[in-house]
Amino acid sequence: MTLPRQNLAGLGILFVLVGVFCISINDLLIKQLSGGYPLHQIVFVRSGIGILFSLMIVQYEGGWGILRTDHPWLHAMRGILIVIANMTFFVALAVLPLADATALFFAAPLFITLLSIPVLGEKVGPLRLTAVAIGFAGVVIMQRPWADTSALEVSRIVLLLPVLSALTYALNQLLTRKLGVSSKASAMAVYIQATFILVSVAFYVVAGDGRFAYGATNGSVIFLLRAWVWPADSDIWVFAGLGVNSAIIGYCLSQAYRLADAATIAPFEYIGLPLAVVWGFLIFGDLPVIEVWIGITLILSAGLFVFLRERQKARVVARGQIKGAINGGVKRHPSVCITTFPVA
């Protein structure tokens, strides 16, 4: 029996807002730790703590039985995609300003809206497609393709890493939408945390002694491959906070994309952009250059338009359903729930 997909837009939006706020805190903490610890050690500790909290939520949502799945390979693919998304973003974050890396990563909601057409069969009209194109123009501007490589603070490969992260993150969230029909959010969070643990252990076995980092001068490579070290007392609480934060992120984002259409949820992830600018300025004293400001403006404008267009569509559908119910000619599908979410 196939279960109907839920479309609880208001609740999905709430979950994605909480998840994105926690992501901004996660990125801030990892950037702070990137100067003294290897990425795979941070991921291992974060996910080891996070999986414990996720298992607690599993008990609350139905017990160990909900961890059983008929789609283990799809869950494995989802886990690998999110690991790639995280690793590529964090490696770039070690050398890029927080706002720059986050702005480039925010091609993800654009990818999600675009890929929801072939992957999920969702309808995205020409106006929203135009908005997506404008958003991608912002991403290109932030890449500064006209600039000489020597004029850039980092290599072009590093600038492309957050975009690769965005693409793999988008594919992960679309899989979340498909798998969310039959899997609880807490179970999917456990699968993700377990994948992170396995990958970080593999990194430790291969490169945990730091031998591949010897002689390296690139900050991203050093962050990825340096040797494990015991955390300083002042950093233990940071690691613990990352673990708790990781559990909240995994649960909230899984719930968001289970409960609402991808094209509805994706634009709300843009709240991470102004948060990254604020944290980058307050903690690291960084402010984006003019190209990044232009890119952020284009991406935010595109995301806002997509959201307003989706909101307009929802109202039209709701009016049609009400009219049909009055006339007795339309039967509301049980999987559809239109929720009006007020804009402040």
Side-chain angles (χ1 to χ4, degrees):
M1 177 179 177
T2 302
L3 299 176
R5 290 198 305 183
Q6 301 180 66
N7 186 18
L8 305 173
L11 193 56
I13 290 167
L14 177 61
F15 273 112
V16 81
L17 289 175
V18 174
V20 170
F21 178 79
C22 290
I23 286 174
S24 73
I25 299 298
N26 175 83
D27 296 345
L28 170 64
L29 295 178
I30 287 183
K31 186 169 179 64
Q32 284 187 310
L33 293 173
S34 65
Y37 303 94
L39 175 58
H40 46 284
Q41 179 183 4
I42 296 172
V43 168
F44 177 80
V45 176
R46 185 189 72 159
S47 298
I49 297 172
I51 199 171
L52 295 178
F53 283 89
S54 297
L55 288 172
M56 293 178 189
I57 301 174
V58 163
Q59 286 297 307
Y60 173 78
E61 286 197 335
W64 302 114
I66 69 173
L67 292 176
R68 289 193 295 269
T69 177
D70 296 327
H71 308 286
W73 292 111
L74 283 180
H75 282 291
M77 182 185 299
R78 178 175 175 265
I80 291 170
L81 285 170
I82 199 63
V83 166
I84 294 173
N86 274 252
M87 292 291 220
T88 50
F89 178 78
F90 293 141
V91 165
L93 190 62
V95 295
L96 284 176
L98 184 60
D100 293 38
T102 303
L104 288 170
F105 172 78
F106 267 88
L110 303 176
F111 279 126
I112 290 171
T113 301
L114 195 61
L115 293 174
S116 66
I117 302 171
V119 177
L120 299 180
E122 295 178 3
K123 294 181 179 180
V124 179
L127 292 178
R128 280 188 289 167
L129 288 176
T130 301
V132 168
I134 292 171
F136 276 122
V139 173
V140 172
I141 289 172
M142 286 186 284
Q143 295 285 335
R144 287 171 278 175
W146 57 85
D148 183 55
T149 304
S150 60
L152 298 174
E153 296 83 2
V154 296
S155 70
R156 293 201 183 277
I157 293 177
V158 173
L159 286 171
L160 287 173
L161 287 176
V163 182
L164 174 59
S165 175
L167 176 60
T168 50
Y169 175 80
L171 290 169
N172 161 76
Q173 296 298 45
L174 292 174
L175 276 178
T176 299
R177 181 66 176 154
K178 294 179 76 73
L179 291 169
V181 174
S182 56
S183 297
K184 293 284 189 180
S186 58
M188 290 194 288
V190 168
Y191 304 146
I192 290 292
Q193 302 287 8
T195 305
F196 274 122
I197 291 171
L198 290 174
V199 171
S200 58
V201 167
F203 263 91
Y204 174 75
V205 171
V206 174
D209 59 359
R211 61 182 179 271
F212 295 111
Y214 294 146
T217 57
N218 184 283
S220 293
V221 173
I222 294 172
F223 181 38
L224 183 64
L225 299 175
R226 66 160 56 99
W228 282 39
V229 294
W230 186 259
D233 292 344
S234 59
D235 290 336
I236 290 177
W237 292 108
V238 179
F239 276 98
L242 277 172
V244 175
N245 209 38
S246 176
I248 296 172
I249 291 169
Y251 182 79
C252 286
L253 294 186
S254 294
Q255 277 287 41
Y257 281 89
R258 285 181 68 246
L259 296 174
D261 289 336
T264 302
I265 290 297
F268 287 92
E269 297 199 24
Y270 292 116
I271 190 65
L273 272 172
L275 285 173
V277 174
V278 170
W279 296 137
F281 176 69
L282 292 179
I283 306 301
F284 303 106
D286 294 327
L287 279 176
V289 297
I290 184 63
E291 292 90 349
V292 175
W293 280 120
I294 293 172
I296 288 175
T297 301
L298 291 176
I299 291 174
L300 282 175
S301 299
L304 180 61
F305 178 84
V306 170
F307 160 63
L308 292 175
R309 184 65 178 168
E310 183 65 31
R311 185 180 173 89
Q312 182 184 41
K313 278 184 55 188
R315 285 173 173 168
V316 171
V317 171
R319 285 197 297 267
Q321 289 173 338
I322 292 172
K323 183 177 179 180
I326 292 174
N327 295 333
V330 176
K331 184 177 180 182
R332 183 186 175 103
H333 193 283
S335 68
V336 177
C337 177
I338 303 297
T339 303
T340 301
F341 200 84
V343 177

